[in-house]
Amino acid sequence: MTEPISNCARFAAQPLAGGGTPVEMWTRSDRRFAPLNIEHCPALLLVAAHPDDETLGLGATASALAGRGVSVQVVAVTDGEAAYPEEAGGRTQLASTRRDELVAAAARLGLARPIFLGIPDGEVTANEDRLQVELEAILAESAPGTWCAATWRGDGHPDHEATGRAAAAASRSVPSVFLEYPIWMWHWALPDDPAVPWDTAARAPLTARDVAAKSAALECFSSQLQRGDGPPLLAPEVIARQMAVGEILFV
Ligand SMILES: [Zn+2]
């Protein structure tokens, strides 16, 4: 997930401090979403700004697709090495740790080994053109009609938004379905937030098996679940909120 950069306009107005929007505000909301139809998804390219975004945002859907024999290829744009390197042996060590965590999580979701692009954590915006070219090349090698899902362009974290923009641009190069999944939105938004394109949101259908696979995969991200000093990024309330809201995508 990696800590948002504080100069982001949205976080300047509503800094990512404390627990964020309580899970009850989402679960008590009467907002309803159209069901997302994944029946005809031939393959999925699942693009994550940082290792764990893919699992937090779309892990259960990925598991469901894989369970049907649909290829799901995760692409980690950065290694998330800027999360708290001073507590994890430095950026190189944390990058290595987080790659290993993602490989293990993908296996628990039934997915192949992820692709790691190694763009510096916190610098996706500066590398957006390169990222678009790399994603276009991966999509060109993928099965015809492969869907692409990426972190939402409005998510509030600069890396998440730049990843969404690059993936959206890359998806325009091939006939494909493009989806965006929010992560930080669940923290800063409210259920009636006008900054969120609710009319384009759809809910992925999930089974108990898919949700269990997501929970098991999330346990792989030890570096984000525990921290020597201070609260971990994937605090229990963050995980609980993410599991409770399900998997909502902007279509
Ligand atoms: Zn992230």
Side-chain angles (χ1 to χ4, degrees):
M1 194 144 97
T2 290
E3 204 142 12
I5 293 168
S6 59
N7 64 3
C8 170
R10 188 169 296 118
F11 284 110
Q14 190 174 349
L16 189 72
T21 306
V23 63
E24 296 77 20
M25 290 196 72
W26 294 115
T27 54
R28 287 183 194 148
S29 164
D30 56 6
R31 186 175 291 283
R32 294 291 174 262
F33 301 99
L36 179 73
N37 185 354
I38 59 171
E39 292 293 322
H40 303 293
C41 175
L44 175 67
L45 190 67
L46 177 49
V47 187
H50 314 100
D52 73 15
D53 291 327
E54 72 302 310
T55 306
L56 286 165
L58 217 53
T61 302
S63 172
L65 288 167
R68 297 177 194 185
V70 176
S71 165
V72 179
Q73 177 64 60
V74 172
V75 176
V77 174
T78 79
D79 296 330
E81 72 277 11
Y84 17 74
E86 69 286 353
E87 297 168 26
R91 289 174 73 108
T92 304
Q93 180 58 53
L94 184 53
S96 171
T97 298
R98 296 195 68 179
R99 283 191 181 207
D100 290 346
E101 290 171 352
L102 179 53
V103 169
R108 287 192 178 181
L109 295 173
L111 316 184
R113 183 183 173 84
I115 294 171
F116 295 95
L117 298 183
I119 288 175
D121 189 4
E123 299 178 29
V124 181
T125 305
N127 289 281
E128 208 171 304
D129 292 345
R130 169 189 157 191
L131 176 56
Q132 179 183 336
V133 169
E134 298 219 38
L135 293 176
E136 282 173 351
I138 295 168
L139 279 169
E141 300 268 303
S142 303
T146 293
W147 292 15
C148 179
T151 43
W152 177 39
R153 283 169 283 183
D155 205 32
H157 186 301
D159 281 351
H160 287 206
E161 297 189 358
T163 295
R165 288 192 301 269
S171 294
R172 280 184 219 117
S173 68
V174 292
S176 164
V177 171
F178 178 63
L179 306 165
E180 296 172 85
Y181 59 92
I183 300 286
W184 284 110
M185 180 201 83
W186 301 112
H187 187 98
W188 58 257
L190 297 172
D192 59 352
D193 199 310
V196 178
W198 297 113
D199 55 341
T200 73
R203 178 184 294 283
L206 304 178
T207 66
R209 174 200 164 278
D210 306 329
V211 173
K214 176 174 181 165
S215 281
L218 283 171
E219 291 171 4
C220 296
F221 297 103
S222 302
S223 70
Q224 307 303 293
L225 294 166
Q226 295 135 23
R227 187 176 183 181
D229 260 343
L233 280 172
L234 294 184
E237 62 270 23
V238 172
I239 300 274
R241 182 175 57 210
Q242 207 71 29
M243 296 303 294
V245 296
E247 297 190 348
I248 305 294
L249 297 105
F250 302 121
V251 181

